[in-house]
Amino acid sequence: MRIGASLQTRLALALGLSVTLLWLVAAAVTAHRLGGQMEEVFDDGLKATAQRILPIARHDLREGHQGRDATDYDDNGEDDDGDGRIDREARYGEDVSFIVRDQNGQVLLGSKGADASSFPPSTKRGFLRTATHQLYYDTSFDGNLTIAVAEPLDHRTELSRKMLLGLVLPLIVVIPLSLLAIYLAVRRSLRPVRALRHELANRGAQDLSPVTDSGLPTELLPISAGVNQLLDRLTAAFHAERAFAANAAHELRTPVAGAIAQAQRIRSETKEKLTSQRATEIETTLKRLMRISEKLMQLARAEGGRLQSDQPSDLRTVLQMVLQDFARAGEGRVLLALPTAPVRSMLDPDAVGILCRNLIENALKHGAQDGKVEVSLQLGGLLSVANDGPILPPDAVDRLMRRFERGNIEIGGSGVGLAIVTAIADRIGADVTIVSPRPERNEGVQVEIKLPVWSPRLSV
């Protein structure tokens, strides 16, 4: 089955991809807005750091100048003894670095590790971004000192990466769970659709009963109603066809029988040879018409009649009765092999009799004229009818299953015998198997049908 052919798969993919895309878009928008807000927070922190450090640095510089002479410091604000202010002022910040300059731009104080080249000179208050740092400049109220506080951009990038990771990691868990929840919800919602599909797929070709619409969503109710209307029309058409065939065949029996009697009377009363010959031909034709009408009645019975019985019956008894009818008609070429134990089935005995009679008649007509017809029944319900004679070509098997098809035009027949057998087999869910030549033979035809058998364990 193609992936796009399933409605359930289409809905699950559409909803899953939509939800995934919405999650990713929401995460991207959140990350973008959160990144802007984080920049503002970082800048505010940088500004607050400068405003907090500047008074402290001014106080320290005043105390330092009172206790030490200005000649103790070099041009970079470091003392000659190597104990620099940068080391002593490291406590002012760890993530940020700063330097304090006087109004001439001379560095007076700085944090540990601060590189003066990273702090471009500036006397304006505000922010400045370089390739490596974000800086904030501020001046004292008297304008004598200027502080520059810098934060590495790598630090902000690292924090942004951690923030994005904190957004993405939950999505790695949430998105698969969302997809699973969507799949389960779609599958549960489409349960009535699957039930309808299962019902239509598993019903046989002869099952024209209405489709159940209980539990179907409102979108499918018009479909089930349309299917039921179509099934009702098909049922009415089939019933009309079968009723016409059965009624026509039944109504033909009486006039045909009367015409046969008249032809026989004409033949017995006339002395002209030509008239007697024509009366015989008329009688033969009328008898063939009567056989066809009987076959049509059997076909209508096979297609529209009731094939199930209320009580199980022994199939051996049905076969014995069928062979007794052939024996009374003077046909003694039929051999019957039955198991010793009963073979019970819920099939209607009349339907089984029609099936067996047509199989035997075909075997007698199309087999060897002096050959035997072997009929056997096994305990599992396998019915076999075999005859000797010519091999049946493979392309003729399907053709003989159609109505009014004859295997040999020279041999009389109605051409609906195997069609009747096929109709009954289809309605009881059995397969008709034709084997030619017969197993372990070089000639003949063998027809097998697996009839359903009844077991006491199945009825409990």
Side-chain angles (χ1 to χ4, degrees), residues 145-219:
L145 297 178
T146 301
I147 186 171
V149 182
E151 182 179 14
L153 294 180
D154 293 341
H155 177 250
R156 294 193 176 189
T157 304
E158 180 66 22
L159 292 177
S160 299
R161 187 181 297 111
K162 291 181 179 180
M163 177 192 67
L164 289 176
L165 190 61
L167 289 174
V168 171
L169 285 180
L171 292 181
I172 296 177
V173 179
V174 170
I175 289 178
L177 292 179
S178 300
L179 296 178
L180 179 61
I182 289 172
Y183 175 78
L184 295 177
V186 170
R187 183 175 178 82
R188 181 178 180 85
S189 300
L190 293 180
R191 184 180 300 171
V193 180
R194 292 197 305 274
L196 178 62
R197 182 195 66 179
H198 182 75
E199 179 182 358
L200 293 177
N202 290 338
R203 64 169 50 199
Q206 302 294 331
D207 187 3
L208 298 179
S209 59
V211 176
T212 57
D213 56 0
S214 60
L216 289 179
T218 55
E219 291 81 3

Side-chain angles (χ1 to χ4, degrees), residues 300-374:
R301 171 77 169 81
E303 291 183 340
R306 186 167 179 261
L307 300 184
Q308 296 291 330
S309 178
D310 296 332
Q311 296 293 332
S313 58
D314 192 354
L315 296 179
R316 300 180 305 167
T317 305
V318 178
L319 292 179
Q320 290 171 351
M321 293 177 63
V322 171
L323 261 68
Q324 289 174 4
D325 293 340
F326 280 99
R328 283 193 292 267
E331 188 59 72
R333 294 187 295 146
V334 184
L335 304 178
L336 181 61
L338 298 174
T340 57
V343 183
R344 300 185 181 276
S345 176
M346 295 298 295
L347 294 177
D348 184 71
D350 292 338
V352 178
I354 293 174
L355 184 145
C356 296
R357 187 173 286 106
N358 280 277
L359 286 176
I360 296 174
E361 287 178 355
N362 275 276
L364 290 172
K365 288 179 181 179
H366 301 286
Q369 296 300 317
D370 56 349
K372 301 292 184 180
V373 174
E374 301 175 5

